[in-house]
């Protein structure tokens, strides 16, 4: 019986507190709570953690810091174009087939460097694409199903 009375008293206190809050508005007390202002960086970090966007934000940082990570020579000829988070694949577009071949040779070291920057397992493979060739759909001498110079380009 005593336990039932104590629970009823507790429920009554909670109801009374809710009524007071509605009547007088919510006010911040002397101690910190969730409504207090926080620095912008801390708020963004909390948002990234709550939503599970840490790896996406880290990869976005790589896109912005690409020249510092790979060096100015590679950055002048190759740039990251997309990232598939589910497969952990970073796609890199190169401006010539020679640079695409060079980057394919350096892919293992580049994956290690990216994982050092981002955290282990963020990038598993790098997909290197050669230059994009124009699709030529006109002309008298065209084989059926051919893309023109795009068949052998890259």
């Amino acid at each position: 019986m005593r336990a039932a009375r104590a629970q009823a008293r507790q429920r009554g206190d909670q109801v009374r507190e809710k009524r007071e809050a509605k009547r007088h508005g919510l006010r911040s007390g002397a101690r910190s709570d969730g409504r207090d202002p926080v620095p912008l960086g801390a708020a963004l970090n909390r948002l990234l953690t709550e939503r599970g966007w840490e790896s996406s934000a880290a990869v976005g940082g790589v896109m912005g810091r690409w020249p510092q990570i790979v060096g100015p020579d590679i950055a002048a000829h190759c740039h990251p174009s997309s990232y598939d988070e589910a497969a952990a694949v970073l796609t890199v577009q190169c401006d010539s087939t020679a640079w695409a071949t060079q980057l394919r040779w350096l892919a293992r070291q580049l994956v290690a460097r990216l994982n050092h920057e981002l955290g282990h397992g963020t990038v598993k493979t790098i997909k290197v694409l050669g230059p994009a060739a124009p699709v030529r759909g006109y002309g008298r001498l065209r084989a059926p199903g051919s893309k023109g110079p795009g068949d052998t380009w890259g």
Side-chain angles (χ1 to χ4, degrees), residues 55 58-59 83-85 88-89 114-115 118-124:
S55 64
V59 170
Y83 175 70
D84 181 14
E85 191 172 349
V89 175
L114 288 169
N115 283 329
L118 302 173
H120 182 69
T122 305
V123 177
K124 291 182 181 173

Side-chain angles (χ1 to χ4, degrees), residues 1-149:
M1 191 70 154
R2 283 186 200 154
R5 285 183 187 162
Q7 287 177 352
R9 193 175 306 122
Q10 252 185 343
R11 274 188 251 122
D13 289 342
Q14 290 173 354
V15 170
R16 193 175 316 113
E17 287 174 7
K18 285 182 182 178
R19 272 194 223 131
E20 289 293 321
K22 284 182 182 178
R23 194 176 307 152
H24 300 294
L26 295 173
R27 296 186 183 168
S28 181
R31 293 179 180 82
S32 63
D33 61 3
R35 298 172 289 149
D36 288 341
V38 293
L40 182 61
L44 285 175
N45 286 338
R46 188 175 73 207
L47 179 69
L48 291 174
T49 304
E50 288 174 357
R51 304 289 174 138
W53 295 339
E54 291 107 347
S55 64
S56 299
V59 170
V62 165
M63 301 280 188
R65 294 183 302 132
W66 181 252
Q68 290 86 16
I69 293 173
V70 298
D73 293 334
I74 295 175
H77 299 283
C78 305
H79 64 277
S81 59
S82 65
Y83 175 70
D84 181 14
E85 191 172 349
V89 175
L90 179 68
T91 305
V92 178
Q93 181 82 42
C94 297
D95 62 0
S96 70
T97 55
W99 276 102
T101 303
Q102 182 70 23
L103 199 67
R104 285 185 190 107
W105 286 342
L106 295 172
R108 184 173 289 163
Q109 290 128 3
L110 192 57
V111 166
R113 184 179 286 173
L114 288 169
N115 283 329
H116 177 72
E117 292 279 330
L118 302 173
H120 182 69
T122 305
V123 177
K124 291 182 181 173
T125 58
I126 294 179
K127 181 179 177 183
V128 181
L129 301 177
V135 176
R136 212 176 120 201
Y138 54 88
R140 196 167 56 91
L141 301 172
R142 181 178 156 103
S146 171
K147 296 181 191 173

